């Protein structure tokens, strides 16, 4: 039985990742602040395979106790941690608000880094060559007006992931980023049609990124079929140019 | 089993994990790196295994270099 810790399970990409992983036999330990109806329905369909814990990732210091000791102790052998939860703070740089910036970095960066700390500890305790996957964004590689602060938080994850791969490769632990293009979820729902069209024009396929292709790429990376892939940024972005 | 024997068992688990020879005893003054031969990955594993048994993170505040320093932290708890 392969256990996966997935943050941001309640909506958007996280919900699709949950469906794909469960269909492949994984057990999903989901985390988000709210239990959505969709996730609740999934739990009812697969009661043994889908777990849920409500936790607010802005509480960086409670990770060890709440996420690990009380939810995923060492006796639960962790196969993968998928860092999917995130918030987007969208504004131009001259409007930067430090409190909002700090909160975004707590959720997008500080908590995920702290979770990686304990995920690796679980993996070395269990002598398990596990996986760490971060959801990054194409905005790190192709600038967009209004996304500088958000992109900075994702760039931090990409740097951390590369170094995690280097540091822990010797123990078989792998770390990769999925660099997603624009997807139709709540996160992007505030963008106007004009902005969306400009984003699509910069892709080869002229389409939003398909959530299933993101979820299935993640499943491929953590399956036994991609053992030699680590330290990579894998673009799933409709060919953004 | 006293704490020192428990610690010896944990150290041997770490050594066994990388196919190294087990130790029959440990002395308070043993240096983890120099006398036992642990590198930083072994020390990370040691920390995790000690935390599992004693519920204490020995490296959380400062550096620990000898068996005695670990025992002090465990006994203080
Ligand atoms: N949408 C895009 O265009 C796009 C593009 C590139 C990359 N990405 C990345 O893809 C990932 C998934 O994004 P999405 O579009 O699915 O976003 P979304 O629809 O906004 O969902 C975000 C998820 O994160 C959870 N979350 C947010 N704040 C949280 C907190 N403080 N504590 C715990 N959980 C929290 C939410 O659950 P609760 O609200 O219940 O807490 C929700 O499940 C993110 O990392 C995002 O940066 C998205």
């Amino acid at each position: 039985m392969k256990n996966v810790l997935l943050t941001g399970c309640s909506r958007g990409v996280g919900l699709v990742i949950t469906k794909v992983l469960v269909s492949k036999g994984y057990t999903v330990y989901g985390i988000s602040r709210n239990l959505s109806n969709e996730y609740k329905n999934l739990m009812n369909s697969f009661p043994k395979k889908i777990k849920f814990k409500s936790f607010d990732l802005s509480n960086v210091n409670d990770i060890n106790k709440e996420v690990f000791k009380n939810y995923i102790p060492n006796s639960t052998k962790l196969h993968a941690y998928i860092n999917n939860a995130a918030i987007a703070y969208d504004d131009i740089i001259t409007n930067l608000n430090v409190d909002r910036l700090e909160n975004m970095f707590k959720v997008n960066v500080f908590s995920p880094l702290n979770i990686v700390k304990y995920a690796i500890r679980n993996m070395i305790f269990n002598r398990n060559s596990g996986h760490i996957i971060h959801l990054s964004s194409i905005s790190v590689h192709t600038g967009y007006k209004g996304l500088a602060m958000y992109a900075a938080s994702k760039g931090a994850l990409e740097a951390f992931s590369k170094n995690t791969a280097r540091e822990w490769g010797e123990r078989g632990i792998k770390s990769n980023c999925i660099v997603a293009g624009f997807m139709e979820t709540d996160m992007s729902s505030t963008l106007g049609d004009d902005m969306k069209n400009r984003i699509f024009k910069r892709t080869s396929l002229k389409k939003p990124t398909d959530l299933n292709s993101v979820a299935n790429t993640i499943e491929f990376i953590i399956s036994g079929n991609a053992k030699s892939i680590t330290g990579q940024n894998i673009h799933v972005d409709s060919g953004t140019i | 089993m006293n704490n020192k024997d428990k610690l010896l068992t944990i150290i041997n688990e770490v050594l066994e994990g990388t196919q190294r020879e087990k130790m029959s005893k440990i002395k308070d003054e043993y240096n983890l790196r120099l006398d036992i031969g642990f590198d930083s990955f072994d020390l990370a594993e040691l920390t995790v295994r000690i935390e599992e048994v004693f519920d204490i993170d020995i490296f959380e505040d400062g550096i620990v270099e000898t068996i005695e320093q670990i025992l002090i932290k465990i006994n203080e708890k």
Side-chain angles (χ1 to χ4, degrees):
Chain A
M1 191 168 74
K2 294 196 163 162
N3 302 307
V4 176
L5 167 59
L6 169 69
T7 60
C9 60
S10 60
R11 296 185 267 124
V13 183
L15 204 55
V16 180
I17 296 171
T18 305
K19 288 181 195 161
V20 168
L21 292 185
V22 166
S23 75
K24 301 276 183 177
Y26 294 87
T27 302
V28 176
Y29 286 77
I31 284 181
S32 53
R33 286 165 303 182
N34 307 299
L35 176 56
S36 62
N37 284 332
E38 291 92 333
Y39 195 80
K40 207 190 279 173
N41 290 340
L42 278 175
M43 289 178 81
N44 289 337
S45 311
F46 304 93
K48 292 214 178 82
K49 290 282 183 188
I50 305 187
K51 327 258 177 202
F52 178 77
K53 182 173 176 78
S54 169
F55 182 74
D56 185 338
L57 289 164
S58 54
N59 300 315
V60 184
N61 287 316
D62 295 339
I63 300 263
N64 186 19
K65 182 163 174 280
E66 295 302 329
V67 178
F68 287 87
K69 290 192 166 147
N70 292 343
Y71 190 43
I72 308 180
N74 284 336
S75 53
T76 302
K77 181 173 167 180
L78 194 61
H79 175 72
Y81 160 43
I82 301 170
N83 167 28
N84 168 71
I87 46 179
Y89 162 34
D90 175 2
D91 212 336
I92 59 171
I93 300 164
T94 41
N95 291 335
L96 184 153
N97 173 295
V98 175
D99 289 338
R100 291 187 67 186
L101 184 70
E102 198 175 309
N103 186 51
M104 184 180 70
F105 266 77
K106 279 185 183 165
V107 174
N108 293 10
V109 184
F110 295 160
S111 277
L113 266 52
N114 205 16
I115 294 178
V116 170
K117 168 183 174 176
Y118 293 103
I120 292 178
R121 283 174 168 229
N122 178 300
M123 289 168 191
I124 55 184
F125 181 83
N126 288 300
R127 300 226 166 89
N128 185 15
S129 323
H131 295 266
I132 293 151
I133 305 274
H134 299 279
L135 264 288
S136 183
S137 158
I138 190 61
S139 59
V140 175
H141 303 270
T142 320
Y144 294 93
K145 177 182 160 202
L147 292 183
M149 283 76 86
Y150 168 72
S153 75
K154 295 297 186 180
L157 293 178
E158 290 192 9
F160 187 74
S161 174
K162 180 79 76 187
N163 285 269
T164 308
R166 182 58 118 167
E167 189 172 296
W168 287 93
E170 206 177 304
R171 289 269 166 146
I173 296 169
K174 293 166 275 281
S175 181
N176 291 289
C177 291
I178 304 297
V179 184
F182 172 87
M183 297 173 279
E184 306 239 46
T185 64
D186 292 349
M187 184 175 274
S188 52
S189 60
T190 53
L191 295 178
D193 283 345
D194 184 41
M195 180 73 173
K196 281 187 191 171
N197 283 333
R198 267 190 289 152
I199 292 173
F200 296 154
K201 273 201 193 127
R202 287 169 70 174
T203 67
S204 303
L205 300 176
K206 313 285 178 214
K207 272 185 190 156
T209 296
D210 168 41
L211 275 65
N212 265 305
S213 70
V214 171
N216 280 296
T217 304
I218 293 171
E219 196 282 322
F220 170 63
I221 298 289
I222 68 168
S223 74
N225 296 324
K227 280 194 177 129
S228 296
I229 300 179
T230 190
Q232 300 305 307
N233 298 325
I234 296 144
H235 287 244
V236 184
D237 63 357
S238 291
T240 302
I241 34 181
Chain B
M1 233 203 269
N2 64 29
N3 284 347
K4 199 169 175 177
D5 290 338
K6 284 187 191 160
L7 184 56
L8 175 63
T9 309
I10 294 172
I11 287 172
N12 280 330
E13 276 172 14
V14 177
L15 290 170
E16 272 184 295
T18 43
Q19 280 85 47
R20 279 170 290 184
E21 213 173 300
K22 288 209 262 179
M23 306 185 83
S24 52
K25 62 172 195 308
I26 43 169
K27 292 186 178 163
D28 283 3
E29 64 271 20
Y30 275 8
N31 181 293
L32 301 167
R33 287 178 185 266
L34 302 177
D35 298 310
I36 304 184
F38 279 170
D39 65 11
S40 48
F41 294 112
D42 299 322
L43 292 173
E45 185 176 336
L46 181 73
T47 311
V48 173
R49 296 196 183 283
I50 289 176
E51 188 176 25
E52 183 68 14
V53 175
F54 296 105
D55 199 25
I56 173 175
D57 184 341
I58 53 167
F59 285 105
E60 204 160 44
D61 47 356
I63 298 165
V64 170
E65 287 174 335
T66 64
I67 295 292
E68 187 177 23
Q69 287 167 335
I70 298 179
L71 288 172
I72 289 172
K73 294 218 167 185
I74 291 172
N75 292 332
E76 266 174 4
K77 230 216 120 188

